[in-house]
Each structure stands twice: as C-alpha cells, then as structure tokens.
Amino acid sequence: MRSLLRCFVFVSMVFFASACAETKPVWLPNGNHPAFSTGQYLIGIGVATRTRDKDGDIQRADANARAEIAKQIQVHLEEQMLSVSEHRIENHGGSKPVRESSNESITIRNRQHVIFTVEGVEIIDRFFDEKAKCHYSMAVMHKARTSARLTAEAEDLYEQSAQLEHESDTLLSRNELVMSIQKLIVATQKYEDADTKRMVASICGGPQILKIRENPCLKLNQILEKIHIICLSGNGQHAQIGRSLPEPVKVMAVYDRDIPVARLPLLAQFQARSEKSDMTVHCDDKGVAVITVSDIGKTGKEENALKIGPAWRDVVRAALKENSDAWQDRLRSPILEVGYKLRTENTSNVIIISSIENMDTVIKLEKFNHRLIRQLKESGFTVKGIEICNGQCTPNEVMKQFADKADLLVLVDGSIAFSGYRAGFPIYRAHMTLTCCDLIRKDISATSGGESIAGASDKTKAAQKAIYQVLDELSGDFVRKMKERLQ
C-alpha cells in the first residue's frame, strides 16, 4: 500500500511539473509567427538578461525588439545611398502584461540628421525563458499601414517645404537675408524629413513619390557663398597681452558684394593658444558690427589673427528652436581674418641712445653700451643698434627721429664726475637715468634713475666702478618694467 502511495505521489509531482512548464513560443528564435508574416510585417525580437528589476527587464526587452525593427529600416536606407550616421531608439512605454497589444514608436535618423518617429510598432508577445534566465519580446510593424501614413506625411512636408522656400524668396527680394536664410533652413529640414519618410515608406512596400523640386539646401548654399565679411577698420593693430586692442575692430557683412546683411550674428574666434574665449556680436541695421577686443591672451607669436564669420549656430537655433549641432558643419561662408601684433621681448627691436656727460674721459662709451646690450639680450630683447647722442636728448625729440626705425628706444642719460679723494683713493660719482620710449604707443613705458659713488686705486678704475655699479643697480628693475609694459 505504501509503495502504491509513493508511486502515486511521484507521478503526480511529475505531472504537475510538466503542466507548469511553459513551452517556448513559436516565434523564438527566428521571429516566425503564423499570424504575422514577413511579407506584411517588419518583425523584431528583443532580449534582456534577468536582473532583480523584473519591470525594467521587460522594458529593456521591449526596447530592444523595437530597436531591431529600426535597424532593419536603417539598413535599407543605407542600401538606398542614404548613409545612416546615427540611430536612436526611444521607448515611450512601460512594462505591459503578456500578450497585451501596445502601440509604440521608433525614431530614425539619416545622414542629414533628420529625426522622425515611426508610429504603430506593437509588442504582441513576451516570454521568459527560465532556463536561459532571459526575457524575450516580439515587436511587429504593419508595412502597408506604415507606408500609407508615411507617404501622406511626406507629401505634406514637401508642400510645407515649398511654401517656406517661397517665403524665403520673398524675404530675399526685400534684402532681409537672415530671415530668408532661416526660412530656408526650416524648409531644408522639412524637405529632408519628407525625403527620409518617403524612403521608409518605399521600404515598407509603398509607391515612390515623384520629387519635382530640388532640396532647398542647394539654394541655401548659393546664398551663403555670396555673404562676405569686410573689415572697415582695426586691422593690423599692436596689442599687449592682458590688455585691449587700442581700437575696436569694425566690420561689415554684405551679400552679393554690396547689400548690407542686417542683424546677422558674427562669431569672432581667437587662435587656439590665445587663452581668449570666442565672442559673438550682432550686425546693426546697416550690417555693421563693432568688436571690442579686451584681455588679449598669449600666443607666443608676433603675428596673430582674429577670425570673424557668421555665427550660424545662433541662426539655426533661432530657426529650428532646438539644438543646432546637427547643422554645425553644413553652413559655411567666407571667413575674414583681422591681424594684430603682440608685443613680446623677442619681437621688439630696441635701439640704445647714450648721452653720458664726461664719459669719454674715463671709459669708452661703446664698451659701456656693450654691457647694457648684453643685459637686454639676456632678458630676451633684440637690440637693433646703438646711437651716440652728443648733448641732452629728450624723449620727444628721439621718438620723432627714430619713429620708423625700432619698436623701443632705451635712453641712457647721465653724468660722471670726480668727487675728490678718500683715504688717498680717488672717488667718482655717477648719476644715471634709464628711459624706455615706446615708439608704437608713443609714450614712455619705463624709467629708472639713481646714482653711485665708488673709489679705486686710480681714477679710471674708480670711474668705471661707479658707472657700472649704478648701471647694475638700475638695469634689473628697468628691464622688468619694460617687459611688464609689453605684457
């Protein structure tokens, strides 16, 4: 009796286990389903490994199923010479009970970055494989219904694009260039959106839509090629690191050589190493923009350029009311380069002008000047020449005389005189003033003055000691001031 009871319990358990075991659906693994033929539907199978978040697992399997349909469409688009640059799958729904039909959507992006959503994707079944620990979802999209809907949408978008292009022509005839361009941007976006919808409709078996118009982007490019930025003033200025350009840069945007482009935003771009951020300005009603350049950054170069061109990102953003990165490389027009020079030690030519009373009686002036030249060169300056001034030389006089010969003048003015004996040794007193005249800015950029007393075994040595001593005391601070004014 007990044996029969054990046998009955064992058979019951086996029967119960087999009854509870869920059979894999017919659409696994290849997506074949008797109710959804591949001739009428696009089919996608999505899978997600089980985690502790069951609802999240189901959502991921659903999203992956819709992704498979989107990939199929994009592969066909590539085959039709519409290269896919990116695709993004958007899941607009959450977890659904098994076998509950739900309308979802997929998002397609083509090489022009045109995004549109294909509606009508359904999750028609789900399955959890206990052995593989995976969730499976099956998504389908009816080809004929999708094709009909996309065809109608494409025709409507083509009409909208044509209307926008007509409005752009009207604005262009009134010389309202910026608004005309914005209309063409929207027209191009709608045209390319329609073009992609038309191709997807064709992939789904729909009829070809005859395009009788060219892409408005062609007309847009023709307009952009005729826009130029010309410099009215401010080119070729001398700049100082950390300071503003002496004058603003004044430019004008013109279309077709002489038509002002009113209210066009312009982007002023500095060199990569300038440590200066780019800036945006707007043209006035006459197409003129004034760019005030402040806080010049370092570049390590004497000749530098400020590149000025239309700020197309702002124009696109205003037209589409959205992020314009997709259009960043599509809109191009000539760029204006405005040059400016940076003042640095190694790009500044210096002329030394010496006038020291009684110098020749104790030391050759050329020998003294060579000592000063060495100190300037060690600080990075380029010494172009030496001039001897007989008598007193004022800054205003020498700046007029050497205006076109150098960037900086170093005036060495002073005197040396015998001051008697001390402990039987001759004493000399040297007085010196160093003045740096900036011939570019036409002002005095640095000055230092002082005196020194020195004695030695003879007069020549005492005089040399005094003059060199005052020079060494002054030159370090003086050269530092020269460099600071350049920066």
Side-chain angles (χ1 to χ4, degrees), residues 184-474:
L184 279 179
I185 290 172
V186 181
T188 299
Q189 188 87 346
K190 288 184 178 294
Y191 182 96
E192 294 174 352
D193 194 349
D195 219 26
T196 308
K197 287 177 181 286
R198 176 185 63 84
M199 288 193 171
V200 175
S202 175
I203 290 169
C204 294
Q208 290 283 350
I209 302 174
L210 180 62
K211 295 190 297 181
I212 58 176
R213 296 173 53 256
E214 293 290 344
N215 191 329
C217 187
L218 300 176
K219 182 180 292 186
L220 177 61
N221 289 333
Q222 291 173 356
I223 293 176
L224 299 185
E225 290 174 356
K226 295 182 180 181
I227 294 178
H228 295 270
I229 312 299
I230 59 177
C231 184
L232 301 179
S233 63
N235 187 32
Q237 298 185 66
H238 286 81
Q240 288 181 271
I241 296 171
R243 299 193 178 189
S244 304
L245 285 180
E247 298 178 5
V249 176
K250 194 174 183 180
V251 299
M252 183 177 184
V254 296
Y255 170 74
D256 202 14
R257 297 185 180 181
D258 58 1
I259 301 174
V261 183
R263 298 176 294 281
L264 177 67
L266 299 179
L267 179 65
Q269 296 178 298
F270 294 83
Q271 293 183 198
R273 295 180 56 194
S274 70
E275 302 176 2
K276 174 70 177 173
S277 300
D278 299 339
M279 57 190 301
T280 302
V281 296
H282 286 78
C283 297
D284 59 19
D285 291 341
K286 296 181 180 180
V288 176
V290 177
I291 304 170
T292 301
V293 182
S294 59
D295 193 21
I296 297 293
K298 296 180 180 180
T299 64
K301 296 168 56 180
E302 179 184 15
E303 300 288 344
N304 300 275
L306 175 64
K307 296 183 178 181
I308 304 171
W312 292 127
R313 176 176 292 184
D314 293 349
V315 175
V316 173
R317 187 182 294 115
L320 301 179
K321 314 299 182 186
E322 61 183 25
N323 194 329
S324 58
D325 289 344
W327 282 78
Q328 184 64 23
D329 297 326
R330 299 188 64 182
L331 303 183
R332 296 187 180 277
S333 55
I335 300 296
L336 170 70
E337 288 195 5
V338 176
Y340 64 93
K341 292 184 178 181
L342 276 179
R343 308 287 302 284
T344 60
E345 301 92 282
N346 57 354
T347 61
S348 298
N349 293 321
V350 179
I351 290 180
I352 299 174
I353 301 178
S354 294
S355 175
I356 299 181
E357 186 179 352
N358 298 326
M359 174 71 83
D360 286 338
T361 62
V362 293
I363 184 174
K364 292 296 183 182
L365 190 58
E366 290 80 1
K367 186 176 181 180
F368 167 82
N369 285 333
H370 284 308
R371 189 181 184 106
L372 180 59
I373 288 171
R374 186 177 70 251
Q375 292 176 333
L376 286 169
K377 287 184 175 180
E378 288 175 354
S379 297
F381 287 97
T382 301
V383 179
K384 189 175 181 180
I386 303 171
E387 298 287 339
I388 307 299
C389 180
N390 296 318
Q392 190 174 12
C393 297
T394 65
N396 289 335
E397 291 176 351
V398 296
M399 282 195 286
K400 290 179 181 178
Q401 183 179 352
F402 294 93
D404 299 325
K405 298 180 180 179
D407 302 310
L408 300 171
L409 294 179
V410 174
L411 304 185
V412 184
D413 186 38
S415 63
I416 185 167
F418 176 67
S419 295
Y421 290 90
R422 182 178 299 171
F425 293 100
I427 304 297
Y428 271 79
R429 181 187 300 271
H431 172 78
M432 186 180 299
T433 300
L434 301 177
T435 304
C436 180
C437 300
D438 193 325
L439 298 179
I440 303 299
R441 296 204 315 267
K442 296 180 174 56
D443 66 4
I444 296 175
S445 62
T447 183
S448 293
E451 64 178 17
S452 179
I453 299 176
S457 58
D458 59 56
K459 291 184 177 181
T460 301
K461 291 180 180 179
Q464 291 178 354
K465 185 177 180 181
I467 198 72
Y468 287 145
Q469 192 169 282
V470 69
L471 175 63
D472 293 341
E473 289 176 356
L474 297 179

Side-chain angles (χ1 to χ4, degrees), residues 34-156:
F36 300 94
S37 68
T38 55
Q40 293 181 309
Y41 293 88
L42 287 177
I43 298 173
I45 305 298
V47 60
T49 304
R50 186 183 70 175
T51 67
R52 294 181 179 180
D53 181 8
K54 180 179 179 181
D55 290 343
D57 297 340
I58 294 173
Q59 290 181 33
R60 287 190 294 111
D62 290 352
N64 290 337
R66 289 189 290 272
E68 286 301 314
I69 294 178
K71 288 177 182 178
Q72 293 175 50
I73 294 174
Q74 288 173 312
V75 167
H76 287 293
L77 286 175
E78 287 177 340
E79 292 174 353
Q80 295 191 37
M81 304 304 292
L82 195 64
S83 301
V84 178
S85 64
E86 179 184 353
H87 75 273
R88 186 182 69 212
I89 308 305
E90 292 183 352
N91 178 8
H92 299 290
S95 175
K96 300 290 189 299
V98 175
R99 296 190 181 280
E100 179 181 343
S101 176
S102 60
N103 273 334
E104 301 291 341
S105 60
I106 55 177
T107 301
I108 308 298
R109 177 176 294 186
N110 68 11
R111 66 182 172 89
Q112 287 96 3
H113 303 274
V114 177
I115 303 175
F116 74 94
T117 300
V118 179
E119 304 290 344
V121 178
E122 299 178 74
I123 302 296
I124 55 94
D125 201 1
R126 298 189 183 96
F127 172 73
F128 177 70
D129 189 331
E130 187 67 42
K131 184 177 180 180
K133 308 301 182 185
C134 291
H135 290 270
Y136 293 90
S137 296
M138 179 179 181
V140 298
M141 188 179 76
H142 196 279
K143 291 182 178 180
R145 288 195 293 267
T146 301
S147 177
R149 182 169 58 253
L150 292 178
T151 298
E153 292 174 359
E155 290 175 338
D156 182 56

